[in-house]
Amino acid sequence: LAKTTQPISMDSYEGQEVNITCSHNNIATNDYITWYQQFPSQGPRFIIQGYKTKVTNEVASLFIPADRKSSTLSLPRVSLSDTAVYYCLAHTGGFKTIFGAGTRLFVKA
Amino acid sequence: DGGITQSPKYLFRKEGQNVTLSCEQNLNHDAMYWYRQDPGQGLRLIYYSQIVNDFQKGDIAEGYSVSREKKESFPLTVTSAQKNPTAFYLCASSTPRGAQETQYFGPGTRLLVL
């Protein structure tokens, strides 16, 4: 199972772009990279998923270089409501999905 | 609306008591999961079920039990053998899609010991 490493915490200000990088050096060929967001006292929710290159949806962008040993979640123009914990997973799905401690993003006014 | 419901939102357990946490989904998902989350920590897998009448232990199954008699329901019992049950419990479900599988989570149940 691929182990991921991401910063414990990050601070930002409203309106800024936030990039959270995740390292997954031993990612397997079949693994996908998935990011979840969790607000306090709520369950995590899916943000974005990708295998390689760039994926964009209405919430975020995910950049994955060719070697796939890292990935970067990009949140454009964050607001106070983006304050949450963000989890990076490199997985083959199901019970093999491992949620680490995540990155605590704190957005300030 | 489709989704996952967990009840109760808060649960209090007395010493030596078994308590059961409810998890129901109407997403028609085959797989269901129970996680435990301690303050400032990630999620740890307690039990999972990939199909009705079948379930497997996760990483921290000791002191917990589950059943999966219906596709929609996956209740978790915290037994008296679990000596440190205070935590936030999350239920999730998914449709197995290999590596592209994503999990849908319920709102959680916070268990406290009196």
Side-chain angles (χ1 to χ4, degrees), chain A residues 30-32 34 36 38 41-44 46 49 87 91-95 97 99-101 104, chain B residues 9 33 35 37 40-43 45 48 50 88 90 98-103 105-107 110:
Chain A
N30 295 332
D31 286 350
Y32 270 68
T34 306
Y36 288 80
Q38 185 181 25
S41 296
Q42 294 185 28
F46 169 83
Q49 182 181 76
Y87 297 96
H91 62 98
T92 54
F95 63 90
T97 301
F99 288 80
R104 296 183 174 276
Chain B
K9 188 175 177 67
Y33 310 84
Y35 293 92
Q37 186 173 37
Q41 305 296 313
L43 282 65
L45 184 64
Y48 64 95
Q50 295 179 291
F88 189 48
L90 289 159
Q100 291 180 274
E101 176 182 322
T102 58
Q103 295 185 14
F105 285 83
R110 193 166 298 280

Short mmCIF file of all heavy atoms in Angstrom, two decimals, chain A residues 30-32 34 36 38 41-44 46 49 87 91-95 97 99-101 104, chain B residues 9 33 35 37 40-43 45 48 50 88 90 98-103 105-107 110:
data_model
loop_
_atom_site.label_atom_id
_atom_site.label_comp_id
_atom_site.label_asym_id
_atom_site.label_seq_id
_atom_site.Cartn_x
_atom_site.Cartn_y
_atom_site.Cartn_z
N ASN A 30 -1.15 0.64 -10.57
CA ASN A 30 -2.61 0.67 -10.63
C ASN A 30 -3.25 1.69 -9.68
O ASN A 30 -4.46 1.86 -9.70
CB ASN A 30 -3.19 -0.71 -10.30
CG ASN A 30 -2.83 -1.75 -11.33
OD1 ASN A 30 -2.62 -1.42 -12.50
ND2 ASN A 30 -2.72 -2.99 -10.92
N ASP A 31 -2.46 2.34 -8.84
CA ASP A 31 -3.01 3.27 -7.86
C ASP A 31 -3.53 4.53 -8.52
O ASP A 31 -2.92 5.06 -9.46
CB ASP A 31 -1.94 3.67 -6.84
CG ASP A 31 -1.62 2.59 -5.84
OD1 ASP A 31 -2.36 1.58 -5.80
OD2 ASP A 31 -0.64 2.75 -5.09
N TYR A 32 -4.66 5.01 -8.00
CA TYR A 32 -5.14 6.33 -8.33
C TYR A 32 -4.86 7.26 -7.14
O TYR A 32 -4.61 6.80 -6.03
CB TYR A 32 -6.65 6.31 -8.60
CG TYR A 32 -6.98 6.05 -10.05
CD1 TYR A 32 -6.73 4.81 -10.64
CD2 TYR A 32 -7.54 7.05 -10.83
CE1 TYR A 32 -7.03 4.58 -11.97
CE2 TYR A 32 -7.85 6.83 -12.17
CZ TYR A 32 -7.59 5.59 -12.72
OH TYR A 32 -7.90 5.36 -14.04
N THR A 34 -6.42 10.25 -4.88
CA THR A 34 -7.71 10.83 -4.53
C THR A 34 -7.55 11.79 -3.35
O THR A 34 -6.79 11.49 -2.42
CB THR A 34 -8.72 9.73 -4.15
OG1 THR A 34 -8.79 8.76 -5.21
CG2 THR A 34 -10.10 10.30 -3.92
N TYR A 36 -9.65 14.02 -0.39
CA TYR A 36 -10.90 14.23 0.35
C TYR A 36 -10.75 15.47 1.23
O TYR A 36 -9.64 15.84 1.62
CB TYR A 36 -11.21 13.04 1.24
CG TYR A 36 -11.67 11.78 0.54
CD1 TYR A 36 -10.75 10.91 -0.04
CD2 TYR A 36 -13.02 11.45 0.49
CE1 TYR A 36 -11.17 9.75 -0.67
CE2 TYR A 36 -13.45 10.28 -0.13
CZ TYR A 36 -12.51 9.43 -0.71
OH TYR A 36 -12.94 8.28 -1.32
N GLN A 38 -12.37 17.26 4.84
CA GLN A 38 -13.16 16.99 6.03
C GLN A 38 -13.28 18.23 6.89
O GLN A 38 -12.26 18.80 7.31
CB GLN A 38 -12.56 15.85 6.86
CG GLN A 38 -13.43 15.47 8.06
CD GLN A 38 -12.84 14.36 8.91
OE1 GLN A 38 -11.63 14.15 8.94
NE2 GLN A 38 -13.71 13.63 9.62
N SER A 41 -16.11 17.62 12.80
CA SER A 41 -17.29 16.85 13.21
C SER A 41 -18.17 16.45 12.02
O SER A 41 -19.40 16.32 12.17
CB SER A 41 -18.12 17.62 14.24
OG SER A 41 -17.37 17.82 15.41
N GLN A 42 -17.57 16.28 10.86
CA GLN A 42 -18.29 15.77 9.69
C GLN A 42 -17.46 14.65 9.05
O GLN A 42 -16.26 14.52 9.31
CB GLN A 42 -18.53 16.87 8.65
CG GLN A 42 -19.47 17.96 9.13
CD GLN A 42 -19.76 18.96 8.02
OE1 GLN A 42 -19.71 18.62 6.84
NE2 GLN A 42 -20.05 20.18 8.39
N GLY A 43 -18.11 13.87 8.19
CA GLY A 43 -17.38 12.87 7.45
C GLY A 43 -16.62 13.48 6.28
O GLY A 43 -17.02 14.53 5.76
N PRO A 44 -15.54 12.87 5.85
CA PRO A 44 -14.82 13.37 4.67
C PRO A 44 -15.71 13.33 3.44
O PRO A 44 -16.63 12.52 3.35
CB PRO A 44 -13.65 12.38 4.52
CG PRO A 44 -13.48 11.76 5.86
CD PRO A 44 -14.86 11.71 6.44
N PHE A 46 -15.41 13.53 -0.98
CA PHE A 46 -14.54 13.45 -2.14
C PHE A 46 -14.39 14.82 -2.80
O PHE A 46 -15.36 15.57 -2.96
CB PHE A 46 -15.15 12.46 -3.13
CG PHE A 46 -14.53 12.45 -4.49
CD1 PHE A 46 -13.38 11.72 -4.73
CD2 PHE A 46 -15.10 13.18 -5.52
CE1 PHE A 46 -12.81 11.71 -5.99
CE2 PHE A 46 -14.53 13.18 -6.78
CZ PHE A 46 -13.39 12.43 -7.02
N GLN A 49 -10.03 13.31 -8.13
CA GLN A 49 -9.25 12.09 -8.33
C GLN A 49 -8.56 12.14 -9.67
O GLN A 49 -9.12 12.68 -10.64
CB GLN A 49 -10.18 10.87 -8.25
CG GLN A 49 -9.51 9.52 -8.39
CD GLN A 49 -10.52 8.39 -8.31
OE1 GLN A 49 -11.27 8.12 -9.25
NE2 GLN A 49 -10.57 7.73 -7.17
N TYR A 87 -7.13 15.28 2.85
CA TYR A 87 -6.45 14.00 2.84
C TYR A 87 -6.05 13.62 1.42
O TYR A 87 -6.87 13.70 0.49
CB TYR A 87 -7.36 12.89 3.38
CG TYR A 87 -7.79 13.06 4.81
CD1 TYR A 87 -9.01 13.65 5.12
CD2 TYR A 87 -6.99 12.61 5.86
CE1 TYR A 87 -9.42 13.81 6.43
CE2 TYR A 87 -7.40 12.75 7.17
CZ TYR A 87 -8.61 13.35 7.45
OH TYR A 87 -9.00 13.49 8.76
N HIS A 91 -4.16 4.83 -3.85
CA HIS A 91 -4.80 3.57 -3.47
C HIS A 91 -5.30 2.80 -4.67
O HIS A 91 -5.49 3.32 -5.76
CB HIS A 91 -5.98 3.87 -2.55
CG HIS A 91 -7.03 4.70 -3.22
ND1 HIS A 91 -8.17 4.16 -3.78
CD2 HIS A 91 -7.11 6.03 -3.45
CE1 HIS A 91 -8.89 5.13 -4.31
NE2 HIS A 91 -8.28 6.28 -4.12
N THR A 92 -5.59 1.53 -4.38
CA THR A 92 -6.23 0.69 -5.37
C THR A 92 -7.68 0.43 -5.00
O THR A 92 -8.32 -0.43 -5.58
CB THR A 92 -5.50 -0.65 -5.51
OG1 THR A 92 -5.37 -1.26 -4.23
CG2 THR A 92 -4.13 -0.46 -6.11
N GLY A 93 -8.20 1.14 -4.03
CA GLY A 93 -9.62 1.12 -3.73
C GLY A 93 -10.01 0.22 -2.58
O GLY A 93 -9.22 -0.55 -2.07
N GLY A 94 -11.26 0.33 -2.17
CA GLY A 94 -11.85 -0.53 -1.17
C GLY A 94 -11.17 -0.46 0.18
O GLY A 94 -10.79 0.60 0.65
N PHE A 95 -11.01 -1.61 0.80
CA PHE A 95 -10.47 -1.66 2.14
C PHE A 95 -9.00 -1.29 2.16
O PHE A 95 -8.41 -1.13 3.22
CB PHE A 95 -10.69 -3.05 2.74
CG PHE A 95 -9.97 -4.14 2.01
CD1 PHE A 95 -8.68 -4.49 2.38
CD2 PHE A 95 -10.55 -4.81 0.96
CE1 PHE A 95 -8.01 -5.51 1.72
CE2 PHE A 95 -9.89 -5.82 0.28
CZ PHE A 95 -8.62 -6.17 0.67
N THR A 97 -7.91 1.47 1.11
CA THR A 97 -7.86 2.93 1.15
C THR A 97 -7.41 3.37 2.53
O THR A 97 -8.04 3.01 3.52
CB THR A 97 -9.24 3.52 0.84
OG1 THR A 97 -9.65 3.08 -0.45
CG2 THR A 97 -9.20 5.03 0.86
N PHE A 99 -6.48 6.51 5.08
CA PHE A 99 -6.53 7.93 5.38
C PHE A 99 -5.48 8.23 6.45
O PHE A 99 -5.59 7.78 7.57
CB PHE A 99 -7.91 8.32 5.93
CG PHE A 99 -9.00 8.32 4.91
CD1 PHE A 99 -9.61 7.14 4.51
CD2 PHE A 99 -9.44 9.51 4.35
CE1 PHE A 99 -10.63 7.14 3.58
CE2 PHE A 99 -10.46 9.52 3.41
CZ PHE A 99 -11.05 8.33 3.03
N GLY A 100 -4.47 9.03 6.09
CA GLY A 100 -3.49 9.46 7.06
C GLY A 100 -4.02 10.63 7.87
O GLY A 100 -5.22 10.85 7.94
N ALA A 101 -3.12 11.38 8.47
CA ALA A 101 -3.53 12.50 9.33
C ALA A 101 -3.99 13.71 8.53
O ALA A 101 -4.67 14.59 9.05
CB ALA A 101 -2.39 12.90 10.25
N ARG A 104 -4.04 20.15 7.67
CA ARG A 104 -5.01 21.11 8.21
C ARG A 104 -4.78 22.46 7.56
O ARG A 104 -3.75 23.09 7.80
CB ARG A 104 -4.87 21.22 9.72
CG ARG A 104 -5.19 19.94 10.44
CD ARG A 104 -5.12 20.07 11.93
NE ARG A 104 -5.58 18.83 12.56
CZ ARG A 104 -6.84 18.53 12.79
NH1 ARG A 104 -7.78 19.41 12.50
NH2 ARG A 104 -7.18 17.39 13.32
N LYS B 9 -26.28 11.01 16.84
CA LYS B 9 -25.19 11.94 16.61
C LYS B 9 -24.19 11.88 17.77
O LYS B 9 -22.98 11.96 17.59
CB LYS B 9 -25.74 13.37 16.46
CG LYS B 9 -24.71 14.39 16.04
CD LYS B 9 -25.37 15.72 15.80
CE LYS B 9 -24.35 16.80 15.43
NZ LYS B 9 -23.73 16.54 14.12
N TYR B 33 -18.20 0.47 5.22
CA TYR B 33 -17.01 0.54 6.06
C TYR B 33 -17.33 1.25 7.37
O TYR B 33 -18.19 2.14 7.42
CB TYR B 33 -15.90 1.36 5.35
CG TYR B 33 -15.60 0.94 3.95
CD1 TYR B 33 -16.36 1.41 2.89
CD2 TYR B 33 -14.54 0.09 3.68
CE1 TYR B 33 -16.09 1.02 1.59
CE2 TYR B 33 -14.25 -0.29 2.37
CZ TYR B 33 -15.04 0.17 1.34
OH TYR B 33 -14.75 -0.21 0.06
N TYR B 35 -15.08 3.39 10.30
CA TYR B 35 -13.80 3.97 10.68
C TYR B 35 -13.92 4.58 12.07
O TYR B 35 -14.97 5.05 12.47
CB TYR B 35 -13.39 5.09 9.72
CG TYR B 35 -13.06 4.66 8.31
CD1 TYR B 35 -14.05 4.64 7.32
CD2 TYR B 35 -11.76 4.30 7.96
CE1 TYR B 35 -13.74 4.27 6.02
CE2 TYR B 35 -11.45 3.93 6.66
CZ TYR B 35 -12.45 3.91 5.70
OH TYR B 35 -12.14 3.55 4.42
N GLN B 37 -12.06 7.72 14.32
CA GLN B 37 -11.18 8.88 14.24
C GLN B 37 -10.99 9.46 15.63
O GLN B 37 -11.96 9.84 16.30
CB GLN B 37 -11.76 9.95 13.30
CG GLN B 37 -10.80 11.10 13.06
CD GLN B 37 -11.30 12.06 12.01
OE1 GLN B 37 -12.49 12.32 11.90
NE2 GLN B 37 -10.38 12.58 11.19
N GLY B 40 -7.41 14.92 16.07
CA GLY B 40 -6.20 15.27 15.36
C GLY B 40 -5.59 14.14 14.55
O GLY B 40 -4.48 14.29 14.03
N GLN B 41 -6.29 13.04 14.45
CA GLN B 41 -5.75 11.88 13.75
C GLN B 41 -6.52 11.60 12.46
O GLN B 41 -7.59 12.16 12.23
CB GLN B 41 -5.82 10.64 14.65
CG GLN B 41 -5.14 10.81 16.00
CD GLN B 41 -3.65 11.05 15.86
OE1 GLN B 41 -2.96 10.34 15.12
NE2 GLN B 41 -3.13 12.06 16.55
N GLY B 42 -5.97 10.70 11.66
CA GLY B 42 -6.66 10.25 10.46
C GLY B 42 -7.70 9.21 10.82
O GLY B 42 -8.06 9.02 11.98
N LEU B 43 -8.19 8.52 9.80
CA LEU B 43 -9.23 7.51 10.00
C LEU B 43 -8.59 6.13 10.04
O LEU B 43 -7.73 5.81 9.22
CB LEU B 43 -10.22 7.55 8.83
CG LEU B 43 -11.27 8.65 8.83
CD1 LEU B 43 -10.67 10.03 8.70
CD2 LEU B 43 -12.27 8.40 7.71
N LEU B 45 -9.47 1.99 9.98
CA LEU B 45 -10.52 1.07 9.55
C LEU B 45 -10.81 0.03 10.63
O LEU B 45 -9.90 -0.67 11.09
CB LEU B 45 -10.09 0.38 8.25
CG LEU B 45 -11.10 -0.55 7.60
CD1 LEU B 45 -12.35 0.21 7.17
CD2 LEU B 45 -10.46 -1.25 6.41
N TYR B 48 -15.04 -3.84 7.49
CA TYR B 48 -15.61 -3.52 6.19
C TYR B 48 -16.40 -4.72 5.68
O TYR B 48 -16.16 -5.86 6.09
CB TYR B 48 -14.55 -3.09 5.19
CG TYR B 48 -13.53 -4.15 4.84
CD1 TYR B 48 -13.69 -4.96 3.71
CD2 TYR B 48 -12.39 -4.33 5.62
CE1 TYR B 48 -12.75 -5.92 3.40
CE2 TYR B 48 -11.45 -5.28 5.31
CZ TYR B 48 -11.63 -6.09 4.19
OH TYR B 48 -10.70 -7.04 3.88
N GLN B 50 -18.00 -6.16 1.92
CA GLN B 50 -18.06 -5.97 0.47
C GLN B 50 -19.37 -6.49 -0.12
O GLN B 50 -19.68 -6.22 -1.28
CB GLN B 50 -16.86 -6.63 -0.19
CG GLN B 50 -15.54 -5.97 0.21
CD GLN B 50 -14.34 -6.63 -0.43
OE1 GLN B 50 -13.99 -7.75 -0.10
NE2 GLN B 50 -13.71 -5.92 -1.35
N PHE B 88 -14.71 9.52 17.42
CA PHE B 88 -15.68 9.88 16.40
C PHE B 88 -15.74 8.71 15.42
O PHE B 88 -14.72 8.30 14.88
CB PHE B 88 -15.20 11.16 15.72
CG PHE B 88 -16.18 11.79 14.77
CD1 PHE B 88 -17.51 11.99 15.14
CD2 PHE B 88 -15.78 12.23 13.52
CE1 PHE B 88 -18.40 12.59 14.29
CE2 PHE B 88 -16.67 12.84 12.65
CZ PHE B 88 -17.99 13.02 13.04
N LEU B 90 -17.14 6.93 11.98
CA LEU B 90 -17.62 7.27 10.64
C LEU B 90 -17.95 6.01 9.86
O LEU B 90 -17.17 5.05 9.85
CB LEU B 90 -16.58 8.08 9.89
CG LEU B 90 -16.40 9.51 10.39
CD1 LEU B 90 -15.05 10.06 9.97
CD2 LEU B 90 -17.51 10.40 9.85
N GLY B 98 -12.54 -0.70 -8.25
CA GLY B 98 -11.08 -0.78 -8.26
C GLY B 98 -10.47 0.49 -7.75
O GLY B 98 -10.97 1.13 -6.82
N ALA B 99 -9.41 0.92 -8.39
CA ALA B 99 -8.65 2.07 -7.92
C ALA B 99 -9.42 3.37 -8.05
O ALA B 99 -9.07 4.36 -7.42
CB ALA B 99 -7.33 2.17 -8.67
N GLN B 100 -10.46 3.42 -8.86
CA GLN B 100 -11.24 4.65 -9.02
C GLN B 100 -12.38 4.75 -8.03
O GLN B 100 -13.17 5.69 -8.07
CB GLN B 100 -11.77 4.75 -10.45
CG GLN B 100 -10.68 4.99 -11.48
CD GLN B 100 -11.24 5.09 -12.87
OE1 GLN B 100 -11.43 4.10 -13.54
NE2 GLN B 100 -11.51 6.29 -13.30
N GLU B 101 -12.47 3.80 -7.14
CA GLU B 101 -13.54 3.82 -6.15
C GLU B 101 -13.42 5.01 -5.23
O GLU B 101 -12.34 5.37 -4.78
CB GLU B 101 -13.47 2.54 -5.32
CG GLU B 101 -14.46 2.46 -4.19
CD GLU B 101 -14.30 1.18 -3.40
OE1 GLU B 101 -14.04 0.13 -4.01
OE2 GLU B 101 -14.43 1.22 -2.18
N THR B 102 -14.54 5.66 -4.94
CA THR B 102 -14.57 6.74 -3.95
C THR B 102 -15.61 6.39 -2.90
O THR B 102 -16.61 5.73 -3.20
CB THR B 102 -14.91 8.10 -4.59
OG1 THR B 102 -16.17 8.00 -5.25
CG2 THR B 102 -13.85 8.51 -5.59
N GLN B 103 -15.34 6.80 -1.69
CA GLN B 103 -16.21 6.47 -0.59
C GLN B 103 -17.09 7.66 -0.21
O GLN B 103 -16.64 8.81 -0.23
CB GLN B 103 -15.39 6.01 0.61
CG GLN B 103 -14.65 4.70 0.34
CD GLN B 103 -13.92 4.16 1.55
OE1 GLN B 103 -14.15 4.58 2.68
NE2 GLN B 103 -13.05 3.20 1.31
N PHE B 105 -19.32 9.22 2.86
CA PHE B 105 -19.33 9.13 4.31
C PHE B 105 -20.62 9.67 4.92
O PHE B 105 -21.24 10.60 4.38
CB PHE B 105 -18.16 9.92 4.90
CG PHE B 105 -16.84 9.23 4.74
CD1 PHE B 105 -16.13 9.32 3.57
CD2 PHE B 105 -16.32 8.48 5.79
CE1 PHE B 105 -14.91 8.67 3.42
CE2 PHE B 105 -15.10 7.83 5.66
CZ PHE B 105 -14.40 7.92 4.47
N GLY B 106 -20.97 9.10 6.05
CA GLY B 106 -22.07 9.62 6.84
C GLY B 106 -21.59 10.77 7.72
O GLY B 106 -20.40 11.11 7.72
N PRO B 107 -22.50 11.37 8.51
CA PRO B 107 -22.15 12.53 9.34
C PRO B 107 -21.40 12.17 10.61
O PRO B 107 -20.87 13.05 11.27
CB PRO B 107 -23.51 13.14 9.66
CG PRO B 107 -24.44 11.98 9.62
CD PRO B 107 -23.94 11.07 8.54
N ARG B 110 -20.47 10.56 17.59
CA ARG B 110 -19.44 10.80 18.61
C ARG B 110 -19.80 10.00 19.85
O ARG B 110 -20.86 10.20 20.43
CB ARG B 110 -19.32 12.28 18.94
CG ARG B 110 -18.06 12.61 19.74
CD ARG B 110 -17.77 14.09 19.77
NE ARG B 110 -17.51 14.67 18.47
CZ ARG B 110 -16.36 14.60 17.83
NH1 ARG B 110 -15.33 13.96 18.38
NH2 ARG B 110 -16.20 15.18 16.65
#
